[in-house]
Amino acid sequence: MKNINIKAVLFLNYFVFAILLNSVGTVILQVQQNFGISKSSASILEGFKDLPIAICSFILASFLPKIGIKKSMLIALLLVSCMCFVMPFTNDFWVFKLLFATVGVSFALIKISVFTSIGLVTETDKEHSSFMGFLEGFFMIGVLAGNVLFSLYIDDHNPKSTEWLNVYWVLGGLSSVSFLFLFFSKLNEREAKSEKTDLLGDLKNSASLFSYKKVLCFLLCAFLFVLVEQSFQTWTPTFYKEILKVPTSMSIQAGAVLAGAFALGRFLSGFFSKKFSWIYVVSFCVVGFAISLLLVLPLTHNINIDKNTNWTNAPLVVYLFPLMGGLLAPIYPSINSVILASIPKYLHSAMSGLIVVFSAIGGTIGSIITGFVFQEFSGQQAFYLSLIPLSLLITSAVFMNKLKINPKK
């Protein structure tokens, strides 16, 4: 298979950052128990992760190819490796803020580099869309693995225990292995560069993307999707612990089940994208998720779960809630692939930067709003709110489908 080595490296890099990024839900739950941090205060960790992603993506996106795609990914992996090896020695809340800020900066470098690289290692629009679906699916496998990994280090009998921080030895080792694999891999970056422009020209190319209505509709779709997705991923462990009253380790494992549903949905999107128009896939998923939400959330009221509950004897709703993620999953890779396939390859880095920026902002806002509503009202009402951005998402996607891009030479 062509470019098999670099494709494998892209999967591995995405896997590592899937674990680190999406550990925020587990960490939010644990810092509440370890340090007595409130929900609204703990939710700020999402901002420490997402805002650096947005800021760095905005600054670096237009000229990252000139810095070097491979070099950028190596820097990112080195930063997170060092930070992970520090974490087992700390028990202060501010260090978790520093951790997620570092992860955010590093992920900005990784995601722009990975999204830009997809255009370099694929040859057709359908191959691009399919690879994007599989890559995003593997990202969710990383989320699943991360939730399972963290749950193994949780002490259900001692909520104040910080032994779970030893998981960062494993994550630091995994990041170091990914660094070494990438270091010895080759990537032809020539097509990602616009040799005719300097830094000012690159910035103008990036700014020109905003002149296309299709790009604007897409950015709104990306913002709204991640707003919904991140609120579910971040707050599912807390929802299971406080609303469904299951043990802490099981609450974190529920996040793994949610990630597994996402992974399955995204792998399937890699197949569906070859058979159906993206707008049909997105529309089906949005409507299906909204209906599932209206059917499943009422089941979470007034249920009685004792302390001996596990996955073999839990009520049906414990299984149903995370499975809804399978319907959300195909949306993100579908819309990302459509927009990237619509523009020249030398603009992929700039477009990837915009994707990361708007996704990061959406994730931060979604998590903070959900945390606030969860604290002031209830977990159910926090998730019911997602129906609003979902309705706006499908409207924006319909408009996006009707628009075309004719890149200026």
Side-chain angles (χ1 to χ4, degrees):
M1 185 185 296
K2 191 174 181 181
N3 297 311
I4 183 64
N5 288 342
I6 193 62
K7 285 181 178 180
V9 170
L10 296 182
F11 276 106
L12 181 58
N13 287 350
Y14 236 40
F15 181 82
V16 171
F17 276 88
I19 297 175
L20 289 167
L21 280 168
N22 290 277
S23 66
V24 67
T26 298
V27 173
I28 283 176
L29 176 58
Q30 287 303 101
V31 297
Q32 290 177 68
Q33 297 188 129
N34 289 168
F35 312 122
I37 305 297
S38 69
K39 292 182 182 64
S40 56
S41 296
S43 70
I44 201 172
L45 289 177
E46 192 79 56
F48 273 89
K49 171 175 67 75
D50 288 339
L51 292 181
I53 293 176
I55 293 169
C56 290
S57 298
F58 181 78
I59 294 172
L60 296 173
S62 61
F63 55 94
L64 183 140
K66 282 186 168 61
I67 298 173
I69 294 172
K70 179 178 174 179
K71 186 185 297 182
S72 298
M73 289 191 283
L74 288 172
I75 291 170
L77 290 165
L78 179 62
L79 286 174
V80 297
S81 296
C82 293
M83 195 66 214
C84 283
F85 289 132
V86 169
M87 292 307 295
F89 301 102
T90 187
N91 58 5
D92 292 316
F93 184 50
W94 69 267
V95 183
F96 292 95
K97 297 177 182 178
L98 179 60
L99 167 68
F100 284 110
T102 303
V103 170
V105 170
S106 301
F107 185 63
L109 293 170
I110 287 288
K111 189 165 186 177
I112 295 172
S113 299
V114 169
F115 273 26
T116 303
S117 299
I118 293 174
L120 302 177
V121 300
T122 58
E123 297 179 352
T124 66
D125 289 355
K126 286 189 174 181
E127 186 185 357
H128 189 290
S129 180
S130 180
F131 186 78
M132 177 76 79
F134 286 122
L135 185 66
E136 291 287 351
F138 200 72
F139 183 88
M140 298 314 301
I141 291 293
V143 178
L144 185 157
N147 278 283
V148 172
L149 180 63
F150 270 87
S151 73
L152 296 176
Y153 285 80
I154 297 297
D155 185 351
D156 286 326
H157 303 293
N158 182 13
K160 293 290 185 181
S161 173
T162 57
E163 289 299 312
W164 64 277
L165 290 172
N166 288 319
V167 74
Y168 286 102
W169 289 116
V170 179
L171 297 180
L174 189 58
S175 302
S176 300
V177 169
S178 188
F179 177 93
L180 292 174
F181 269 102
L182 177 61
F183 185 81
F184 291 106
S185 299
K186 294 182 179 180
L187 175 64
N188 184 352
E189 304 179 21
R190 183 175 54 83
E191 286 187 275
K193 300 178 181 180
S194 178
E195 304 293 348
K196 299 178 181 179
T197 62
D198 53 14
L199 176 57
L200 182 59
D202 288 336
L203 292 173
K204 287 181 178 178
N205 282 335
S206 299
S208 70
L209 289 170
F210 288 103
S211 65
Y212 300 112
K213 293 179 181 179
K214 184 166 186 171
V215 170
L216 296 178
C217 283
F218 161 76
L219 293 175
L220 180 58
C221 287
F223 170 83
L224 292 168
F225 171 79
V226 179
L227 187 150
V228 174
E229 178 197 44
Q230 205 63 48
S231 64
F232 272 83
Q233 288 188 346
T234 299
W235 289 98
T236 287
T238 300
F239 185 86
Y240 267 67
K241 176 66 178 176
E242 298 196 4
I243 303 300
L244 301 182
K245 308 294 184 184
V246 302
T248 301
S249 58
M250 191 173 170
S251 299
I252 294 170
Q253 289 162 5
V257 178
L258 177 64
F262 263 93
L264 178 61
R266 287 187 172 169
F267 281 131
L268 289 175
S269 77
F271 294 104
F272 292 147
S273 62
K274 295 180 179 180
K275 298 180 178 295
F276 303 101
S277 171
W278 72 273
I279 189 62
Y280 294 131
V281 174
V282 169
S283 298
F284 174 84
C285 290
V286 172
V287 174
F289 182 79
I291 293 173
S292 299
L293 199 65
L294 292 172
L295 294 176
V296 172
L297 278 180
L299 301 178
T300 64
H301 289 278
N302 303 317
I303 63 173
N304 296 311
I305 297 180
D306 62 46
K307 62 182 181 180
N308 296 317
T309 297
N310 55 48
W311 290 106
T312 64
N313 59 13
L316 180 62
V317 67
V318 172
Y319 304 97
L320 291 178
F321 186 81
L323 292 179
M324 294 189 299
L327 287 167
L328 270 184
I331 299 172
Y332 196 60
S334 296
I335 61 175
N336 283 343
S337 181
V338 167
I339 201 66
L340 287 170
S342 300
I343 61 178
K345 291 182 179 180
Y346 71 85
L347 287 175
H348 281 200
S349 176
M351 189 69 246
S352 298
L354 292 179
I355 292 172
V356 178
V357 169
F358 280 81
S359 297
I361 295 173
T364 299
I365 293 175
S367 181
I368 291 175
I369 290 175
T370 302
F372 175 79
V373 176
F374 201 132
Q375 178 174 293
E376 299 298 325
F377 299 97
S378 72
Q380 289 91 345
Q381 286 180 293
F383 289 136
Y384 275 129
L385 276 179
S386 63
L387 293 172
I388 298 174
L390 284 172
S391 61
L392 295 174
L393 169 59
I394 194 169
T395 302
S396 301
V398 170
F399 279 108
M400 176 181 164
N401 186 53
K402 294 180 179 179
L403 298 168
K404 297 191 180 297
I405 290 180
N406 295 309
K408 299 166 185 172
K409 303 293 184 182

